[in-house]
Amino acid sequence: PPCAPPPRKLTEGDVRMRLAPFRPPGAIPDSSVVGHDGGRMWKLEDGGWAFQYPDMSARVSDTGRIQLAWAQPEYSIEMDENGIAYHSGDSVVHRDQAGGLVYHQPSGTMHQNGNEVIYHWCHPNVIVYETPSGMVYYDDQGMTYRGENDVAHYSWNGEVLYQGIGGITRQFPDGALTIWTPSGVVYRHNDGSASYVPVGASQSEVLSTDALPMDRFPGPPLTAEQALHLP
């Protein structure tokens, strides 16, 4: 997915235009009142209020949304019933009521929700999911999952590569399959045939199911107790 648009860069000029002698955006003309602390208060068209101080402005809407901004250094805060946002320069940090965090910069975003974190870089366009069970990397070339003991990669062209404790498996889009094991390599070709190369050998051997018994599960069925004690 594409990156989110970068945050608007907050400048000193943005804040200065909300201070005296300028009328705050959305303020009713000639509604200002000078307070005892030297600030100026304006009635807003939406029912809220705007406050002006020498180096700081504030707004309170009729819904309870609060906006605070300082000219030096350039910094603003917005709060409502859903959470709070801090804006400094070209970076914004959001925090919701559940404790989730979002860091937003021109280079990308970082989402933290409990013990899960999502990183999204814009150049190059890469997404990383970090969870307690493993990590997932996603880019234009495909998706890679990395767990405690295994790695799986799903390529953009349909190829799948898996590496675990027991070996490596590579599956091709045409149906061919290669399996590397501690005792050798098994090949399944796209025509349905299979071959095997043991460790130490240089020539492949044809694999056939003719040597297998007709009964795939010889012997009496295992009980649940026996199955639990299998090595």
Side-chain angles (χ1 to χ4, degrees), residues 125-126 137-144 153-159:
N125 190 9
V126 178
Y137 306 85
Y138 178 73
D139 59 16
D140 294 337
Q141 300 302 312
M143 183 174 65
T144 301
H153 177 71
Y154 303 85
S155 180
W156 64 273
N157 63 356
E159 184 177 318

Side-chain angles (χ1 to χ4, degrees), residues 23 26-34 40-44 49:
R23 177 161 54 91
I28 299 174
D30 302 324
S31 65
S32 66
V33 176
V34 178
R40 186 176 293 271
M41 182 172 60
W42 295 77
K43 180 68 175 177
L44 300 178
W49 293 90

Side-chain angles (χ1 to χ4, degrees), residues 167-179:
I168 301 174
T169 301
R170 187 177 185 180
Q171 183 175 342
F172 298 89
D174 62 356
L177 184 72
T178 303
I179 304 175

Side-chain angles (χ1 to χ4, degrees), residues 92-104 109-120 128-132:
V92 180
V93 179
H94 303 265
R95 185 179 183 89
D96 60 30
Q97 285 186 325
L101 287 173
V102 177
Y103 294 86
H104 190 186
T109 59
M110 191 278 281
H111 299 248
Q112 181 176 357
N113 186 13
N115 55 7
E116 299 180 355
V117 183
I118 302 174
Y119 304 91
H120 191 174
V128 177
Y129 298 86
E130 183 178 357
T131 70

Side-chain angles (χ1 to χ4, degrees), residues 43 85 98 162 202:
K43 180 68 175 177
Y162 172 79
S202 59

Side-chain angles (χ1 to χ4, degrees), residues 9 39 54 148 193 196 204:
K9 185 175 182 179
E148 182 178 357
S193 62
Y196 171 69
S204 62

